[in-house]
Amino acid sequence: MTLVAKRDAPAATQQRGLPVPGFRYGEEARAPQAASMPTPLLRIAGVSLEYRTPERVIRATHRVDIDVYEADRFVLLGPSGCGKSTLLKAVAGFIPPIEGEIILDGRPVRGPGPDRIVVFQEFDQLPPWKTVVQNVAFPLRASGTLGRREAEARARHTIDKVGLSRFADSYPHQLSGGMKQRVAIARALAMQPKVLLMDEPFAALDALTRRKMQEELLALWDEIRFTLLFVTHSIEEALAVGNRVALLSAHPGRVRGEFNSHEFDLTSVGSSAFQAAVQRLHRRLFDADPETAARPAL
Ligand SMILES: Nc1ncnc2c1ncn2[C@@H]1O[C@H](COP(=O)(O)OP(=O)(O)OP(=O)(O)O)[C@@H](O)[C@H]1O
């Protein structure tokens, strides 16, 4: 695991598990010269977010700075209530920052848009009366993005990309959980978003199913290389799913550090290097916070 002060190599330049040119592993790793870095696809710059109720103002995040590059699997990791979901909602365009700016592909985010799609936990709840192709085509039609024929063609193309063309005319109940997740992600990818947003998508699942879903997600990323912003409060999940992890402090969320985790995947989970990384992140998350120091790694 590499700790970097600010930002790390974009996934587009990485092979999972292989060193990135210009990077060294270990605590002394340095980010390459700014001139050699591509422009971030998503820039969260000094973003503070608040909720206002008649009684009080709740600050959810405080001056968060994060750069996400194309094809990153970028994870927001932090304890419950640190503002991860709020940050994701702000990127989705549902909550405007009270200070700072969110910039996607050079343009400030001013509201929701089809260039940012949230994949919800309920990927197991695809409308059962629609076939896979109908499920994937539905948002394209409902949003007025494409007409019937074009939507079906795009849906079939995307279903092919996620490796489900043999099941295009099947119904959800004929698919495994992992296949349903692929359909849900295909539905999002068919909209050709710039970033996929996932908020604790596997939190409600049992350990085995969760692992299967994580495998499916990573396999899909290997094939398609979409850009992912993923929220979790599980340190293990963050290290296994992400190539970069931003650690947020307890309420209000501030970035406590950024970690390069692309040397890990699900096969590393039992390794001593992985466990050492978990411990290090755990200390980093909780050490300076006596109230939460006693909490176990999730
Ligand atoms: N609609 C809301 N109105 C007022 N306060 C809110 C609202 N939603 C969230 N909050 C507060 O904002 C803070 C951040 O909440 P948020 O849900 O973003 O945290 P989180 O890190 O995603 O937590 P968890 O891991 O438990 O989902 C918390 O203190 C929470 O109580």
Side-chain angles (χ1 to χ4, degrees):
M1 180 176 60
T2 307
L3 170 61
V4 293
K6 185 73 174 71
R7 64 172 144 158
D8 202 347
T13 65
Q14 296 173 13
Q15 295 286 318
R16 225 169 341 119
L18 294 177
V20 179
F23 276 73
R24 287 187 293 147
Y25 293 106
E27 296 291 354
E28 71 280 23
R30 281 175 287 113
Q33 295 302 306
S36 65
M37 295 292 286
T39 310
L41 175 65
L42 173 69
R43 170 157 276 180
I44 298 171
V47 165
S48 300
L49 298 162
E50 284 181 356
Y51 292 99
R52 284 169 189 272
T53 68
E55 298 79 34
R56 60 197 185 118
V57 174
I58 300 140
R59 179 158 284 216
T61 70
H62 185 71
R63 296 188 181 160
V64 169
D65 286 310
I66 287 169
D67 286 345
V68 178
Y69 294 86
E70 202 168 338
D72 264 343
R73 301 183 312 279
F74 196 100
V75 176
L76 301 173
L77 171 68
S80 188
C82 75
K84 306 178 293 292
S85 299
T86 306
L87 203 52
L88 207 76
K89 284 179 196 151
V91 172
F94 297 120
I95 301 176
I98 57 137
E99 64 178 332
E101 207 165 27
I102 299 172
I103 297 165
L104 180 64
D105 207 11
R107 294 200 178 147
V109 166
R110 298 271 184 250
D115 50 2
R116 288 145 289 143
I117 304 275
V118 187
V119 179
F120 291 103
Q121 273 187 21
E122 313 77 57
F123 53 75
D124 203 19
Q125 293 170 15
L126 298 163
W129 59 89
K130 287 186 194 290
T131 63
V132 166
V133 73
Q134 287 166 346
N135 261 294
V136 174
F138 178 70
L140 291 165
R141 301 236 19 231
S143 63
T145 306
L146 295 176
R148 193 177 63 80
R149 276 190 174 192
E150 295 90 342
E152 181 170 335
R154 168 99 59 95
R156 287 194 183 275
H157 177 71
T158 316
I159 290 164
D160 190 34
K161 280 218 269 187
V162 303
L164 284 179
S165 35
R166 283 199 303 126
F167 297 90
D169 298 308
S170 301
Y171 288 88
H173 74 273
Q174 298 171 304
L175 308 178
S176 71
M179 289 156 87
K180 283 183 218 168
Q181 182 189 196
R182 282 186 171 238
V183 176
I185 294 175
R187 197 161 55 158
L189 291 177
M191 293 291 288
Q192 301 182 339
K194 293 182 174 130
V195 189
L196 259 191
L197 308 172
M198 296 182 99
D199 189 357
E200 305 232 29
F202 311 135
L205 303 175
D206 63 85
L208 278 180
T209 313
R210 184 173 190 157
R211 160 96 189 209
K212 179 83 192 125
M213 294 295 164
Q214 292 164 342
E215 278 169 8
E216 285 279 351
L217 181 66
L218 289 176
L220 204 51
W221 182 88
D222 265 338
E223 289 158 32
I224 301 175
R225 304 281 161 137
F226 48 86
T227 307
L228 178 66
L229 187 59
F230 187 101
V231 161
T232 185
H233 61 272
S234 159
I235 296 175
E236 282 89 351
E237 183 167 74
L239 289 173
V241 166
N243 69 315
R244 298 170 60 217
V245 179
L247 210 59
L248 298 179
S249 64
H251 178 77
R254 302 163 196 252
V255 177
R256 297 197 67 176
E258 211 180 282
F259 291 83
N260 178 359
S261 56
H262 66 265
E263 74 223 66
F264 298 123
D265 62 19
L266 287 163
T267 62
S268 338
V269 172
S271 73
S272 52
F274 187 90
Q275 288 309 325
V278 169
Q279 289 308 320
R280 215 155 4 141
L281 274 182
H282 186 259
R283 278 197 300 275
R284 182 101 183 166
L285 261 177
F286 298 120
D287 268 5
D289 189 346
E291 267 183 45
T292 50
R295 282 156 68 166
L298 295 165

